[in-house]
Amino acid sequence: MSARKNIPVEVMTPETKCGFCTNTSCCTYISQEIDTPRSKEDFDFLLWQISHRDIRVYKDEGSWYLLAENACTHIQADGSCAIYDDRPQICRDYSNDYCEFDEPAEEGFELYFKDYGELLVYLKKRFKRWGQRPY
Ligand code: SF4
Ligand code: SF4
């Protein structure tokens, strides 16, 4: 994640690839696995969470996640990392082998809800009597 930007690059290699990446996508969100929602109560709670700004919900390889689309505060104007030498382990472990530079991550998700409305449409299909409280 976010190595050096504006370095002279002739060919794209694993070492120079991040220098070609203009929006540093991998540093602009966090995602957190959550318990698989099953009941109406579970999804009602998810609806509340996704009602908040920049929160998405997705399912990938059978697991559910909350995604917060908030950029890391350490991204500098040129896209590099202000704390590169002290960056957290998760940043060190991230491989640029096949990353968001190659394809937006959401294109591989089983399910992806960008907002309250999209999740609500899904719930009305999944539960015949969605919305009839109490659940
Ligand atoms: S999205 Fe990929 S290419 Fe761009 S900064 Fe992150 S790891 Fe590097
Ligand atoms: S700490 Fe640095 S490498 Fe990690 S997400 Fe933030 S900007 Fe990216």
Side-chain angles (χ1 to χ4, degrees), residues 12-18 96-97:
M12 194 178 294
T13 67
E15 289 70 36
T16 64
K17 184 178 181 182
C18 295
N96 70 2
D97 242 11

Side-chain angles (χ1 to χ4, degrees), residues 59-87:
K59 182 184 178 191
D60 189 27
E61 297 182 354
S63 298
W64 287 73
Y65 298 84
L66 269 191
L67 172 69
E69 289 204 61
N70 294 118
C72 179
T73 54
H74 300 301
I75 302 175
Q76 301 191 102
D78 68 352
S80 62
C81 174
I83 59 163
Y84 191 73
D85 290 339
D86 292 315
R87 68 198 187 288

Side-chain angles (χ1 to χ4, degrees), residues 88-122:
Q89 191 60 43
I90 190 169
C91 308
R92 295 165 191 269
D93 292 341
Y94 191 85
S95 165
N96 70 2
D97 242 11
Y98 192 78
C99 59
E100 284 99 329
F101 183 77
D102 304 290
E103 182 184 38
E106 59 268 27
E107 289 188 9
F109 295 162
E110 287 166 57
L111 293 169
Y112 178 52
F113 306 106
K114 287 198 294 293
D115 55 30
Y116 173 93
E118 289 189 0
L119 182 56
L120 188 60
V121 167
Y122 168 80

Side-chain angles (χ1 to χ4, degrees), residues 30-65:
I30 64 166
S31 75
Q32 183 77 46
E33 187 172 351
I34 57 173
D35 292 341
T36 298
R38 300 183 197 285
S39 66
K40 285 185 177 178
E41 287 87 348
D42 294 340
F43 280 107
D44 190 58
F45 190 73
L46 260 193
L47 272 179
W48 167 69
Q49 291 176 304
I50 203 172
S51 294
H52 290 73
R53 189 166 296 127
D54 303 329
I55 299 295
R56 327 281 177 225
V57 173
Y58 69 94
K59 182 184 178 191
D60 189 27
E61 297 182 354
S63 298
W64 287 73
Y65 298 84

